[in-house]
């Protein structure tokens, strides 16, 4: 029985479990051929489901790793052509949620408003609601991807370390797109690697829209604006966490480029609501989680007073918007 007959009859969940072990360790030409033959025999909604299952493996052996690290160029081109054809044949309104880590998910580099290492209040709720609110099937796995310039390292060890650091935060199923040691020297290099990762994500999921959540400390605004300016027409917008004290003029300039600046995740929820990415109920759930998270933090009085002021303003904006 050939691969096309098997693929047509086997549920995508089982196909994903069969394909997974074939791209661990050394991947022979025969293994590559079997993977591509099997995947290209699947079409329509089942093919989209197969992609998402392969992308939510829980380790670095995800769809990006399979396509760009383990396939010879001719087989990679063949699979990407099938992906593009299926996107045209069966488009969706689903949303890919791409998110930075340092100073976006967790206080790490430039932000002095929170204790170092703090998971930002409301960020987990925002990512969860974006994942649920944008997907046609709220239970589908794989919409959330963390995009970072952190190196993957030998056998994906640093990527696995990054993934382990996210494991206990209550996030939806997600994947991680990493970088290389060469990408850590300058902001321009970091931005270039993130752009490459986002382009790869679009090649793998061209049927989807995309939103990017980043911060103002490491060129994420430029990354989001550059992606929005490219002729894909799939980037809905960028939500930019202000960790460097952007003034009103700078925020207005970013907004003209599709980059929406916020101070707390209640503000991010307001932007997401206006962009049509969240319902009002979901946006208020994010704002509530943000306020509850701020209340639990051990902050200096001046830090708390400042956060309370910006949070109150963003909550008011959310009620008006």
């Amino acid at each position: 029985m050939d691969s096309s007959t098997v693929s047509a009859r086997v549920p995508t969940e089982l196909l994903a479990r069969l394909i997974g072990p074939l791209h661990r360790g050394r991947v022979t030409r025969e293994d590559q051929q079997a993977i591509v033959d099997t995947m290209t025999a699947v079409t329509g909604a089942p093919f989209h489901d197969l992609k998402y299952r392969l992308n939510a493996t829980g380790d670095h052996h995800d769809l990006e790793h399979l396509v760009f690290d383990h396939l010879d160029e001719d087989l990679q081109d063949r699979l990407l052509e099938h992906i593009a054809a299926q996107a045209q044949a069966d488009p969706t309104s689903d949303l890919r949620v791409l998110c930075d880590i340092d100073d976006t998910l967790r206080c790490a580099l430039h932000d002095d408003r929170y204790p170092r290492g703090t998971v930002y209040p409301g960020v987990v709720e925002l990512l969860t609601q974006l994942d649920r609110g944008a997907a046609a099937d709220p239970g589908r796995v794989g919409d959330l991807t963390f995009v970072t310039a952190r190196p993957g390292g030998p056998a994906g060890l640093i990527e696995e370390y990054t993934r382990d650091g996210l494991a206990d935060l209550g996030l939806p199923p997600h994947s991680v797109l990493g970088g290389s040691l060469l990408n850590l020297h300058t902001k321009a290099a970091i931005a270039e690697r993130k752009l490459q990762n986002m382009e790869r994500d679009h090649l793998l999921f061209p049927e989807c829209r995309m939103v990017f959540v980043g911060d103002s400390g490491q060129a994420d605004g430029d990354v989001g604006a550059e992606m929005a300016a490219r002729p894909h027409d799939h980037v809905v917008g960028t939500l930019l966490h202000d960790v460097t004290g952007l003034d009103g003029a700078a925020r207005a300039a970013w907004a003209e480029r599709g980059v929406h600046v916020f101070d707390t995740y209640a503000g991010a929820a307001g932007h997401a609501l206006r962009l049509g990415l969240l319902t009002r109920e979901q946006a208020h759930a994010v704002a509530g989680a943000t306020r509850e998270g701020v209340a639990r933090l051990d902050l200096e009085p001046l830090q708390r007073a400042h956060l309370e002021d910006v949070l109150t303003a963003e909550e008011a904006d959310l009620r008006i918007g």
Side-chain angles (χ1 to χ4, degrees), residues 42 55 60 75 96 99 109 169 174 186 198 205 210 218 287:
V42 184
N55 204 47
H60 75 283
L75 293 174
R96 298 285 295 158
C99 185
L109 299 173
L169 301 184
H174 54 271
T186 67
M198 294 172 77
F205 302 97
M210 178 189 293
Q218 283 195 318

Side-chain angles (χ1 to χ4, degrees), residues 65 116 142 155 205 209 213 222 279 284 289 319:
H65 184 256
R116 189 61 55 87
F205 302 97
R209 300 174 300 153
V213 187
D222 289 321
T279 66
H284 282 285
R319 287 192 293 271

Side-chain angles (χ1 to χ4, degrees), residues 25 62 64 86 95 111 136 145 151 196 205-206 308 317:
D62 52 24
E64 188 258 354
Q86 294 311 303
L95 184 75
D111 196 348
T145 296
Q196 182 190 66
F205 302 97
E308 289 287 346
D317 179 65

Side-chain angles (χ1 to χ4, degrees), residues 148-153 178-185 189-190 193 196-197:
T148 175
R150 293 176 177 183
S180 71
L181 291 171
L182 297 177
N183 294 118
L184 298 180
H185 297 304
I190 289 171
R193 179 60 184 190
Q196 182 190 66
N197 282 337

